[in-house]
Amino acid sequence: MDIKELISYWKKNGIIRDEKIIQAFLSTPRHLFVPDEYKEEAYNDYPLPIGHGQTISQPTTVAIMTQALMPVKGNKVLEIGTGSGWQAAILARIVDPGIVYSVEIVPELVERARKNIARLGLKNVCIIHGDGSKGLREYAPFDRIIVTAASPRINDEWIKQLKNNGILIAPVGNLWSQKMLRVTKKNNKIFIEDLGGFLFVPLRGEKGF
Ligand code: SAM
């Protein structure tokens, strides 16, 4: 498979309709974010190991989450779980001149993701080493929050750090299965939609597993 085949599969199945999301995928090649030994598999539609027991997510999952987050130009986004930096880079393309803050708990992955992002010349991604299970209070509030590790719950701190009219998506459940939840904050009320079943590596840290 290559990226064009993936995109035509997404279009045919109504997974992605938004041209700016398609452009972001085309200008952010996944093979630049996977370890050398998996480069040949970069456009296969499954997660790949990135070391330290972690993974770069499946392309279709990244596509679904990106679309569900409804990012727009100028947004300030928080990603929890940088991993390889691929999802952060895709979002940075879409929200430019907005900014993506991405928090990663594994220091070696922080270093690698920073290099991956620098290679693409992206200036609007800020990768921070820390425990994102508590969000990122220093830079809150955010227009969008995306959690890319399985969480036992939507935690209150994330909701507090979300702007009014903000959108958060997170896979929530137990270690073996999660539901992708989309949370919208409107006039300080919370609306939750279930976008279906997924499987992610666990969120660690104070409010994780
Ligand atoms: N978004 C990533 C990408 O584009 O490659 C994939 C994320 S991977 C499925 C989940 C990541 O969440 C892992 O890199 C893991 O180390 C990180 N993680 C787990 N718990 C975390 C926490 N409490 N704070 C920040 N990152 C965390």
Side-chain angles (χ1 to χ4, degrees):
M1 265 212 177
D2 61 23
I3 188 63
K4 295 218 164 104
E5 283 175 276
L6 273 173
I7 287 171
S8 78
Y9 163 75
W10 294 338
K11 281 184 169 168
K12 212 185 302 164
N13 290 282
I15 292 170
I16 298 210
R17 290 171 212 94
D18 189 335
E19 196 51 39
K20 70 178 188 294
I21 295 181
I22 289 167
Q23 286 309 318
F25 274 92
L26 286 171
S27 58
T28 315
R30 191 177 189 239
H31 69 263
L32 299 180
F33 291 82
V34 306
D36 285 347
E37 60 267 41
Y38 296 109
K39 294 255 184 256
E40 305 231 315
E41 294 172 68
Y43 298 97
N44 293 356
D45 201 13
Y46 44 69
L48 288 168
I50 54 171
H52 309 277
Q54 304 304 327
T55 53
I56 178 171
S57 304
Q58 177 180 351
T60 295
T61 300
V62 176
I64 290 170
M65 289 180 82
T66 303
Q67 176 137 305
L69 193 66
M70 299 193 238
V72 294
K73 255 186 195 309
N75 276 170
K76 178 164 66 158
V77 180
L78 171 63
E79 180 190 32
I80 298 167
T82 314
S84 68
W86 189 45
Q87 173 78 79
I90 288 164
L91 289 170
R93 299 271 195 213
I94 297 167
V95 302
D96 186 42
I99 183 162
V100 178
Y101 293 94
S102 185
V103 190
E104 172 56 53
I105 204 164
V106 178
E108 294 85 351
L109 294 180
V110 170
E111 286 312 311
R112 195 156 355 117
R114 282 186 182 142
K115 282 188 194 143
N116 291 341
I117 297 280
R119 235 185 308 157
L120 284 183
L122 288 168
K123 302 275 186 249
N124 60 335
V125 181
C126 177
I127 299 174
I128 293 160
H129 176 228
D131 176 7
S133 74
K134 298 174 290 182
L136 187 62
R137 218 175 288 167
E138 307 87 289
Y139 295 97
F142 301 97
D143 298 291
R144 301 286 185 267
I145 299 179
I146 177 169
V147 184
T148 66
S151 176
R153 65 192 66 79
I154 299 285
N155 91 55
D156 292 347
E157 200 55 45
W158 299 341
I159 299 291
K160 272 192 217 149
Q161 294 177 22
L162 191 61
K163 287 186 192 173
N164 193 30
N165 294 318
I167 298 173
L168 174 153
I169 56 170
V172 174
N174 57 38
L175 292 174
W176 304 277
S177 81
Q178 303 97 39
K179 284 179 171 177
M180 189 64 68
L181 300 185
R182 173 163 58 192
V183 178
T184 310
K185 192 176 189 176
K186 276 193 187 132
N187 302 323
N188 291 318
K189 285 200 187 117
I190 292 302
F191 299 88
I192 299 181
E193 295 160 85
D194 178 352
L195 306 180
F198 286 82
L199 181 61
F200 276 79
V201 293
L203 183 76
R204 293 161 49 195
E206 197 180 308
K207 312 247 182 202
F209 285 101

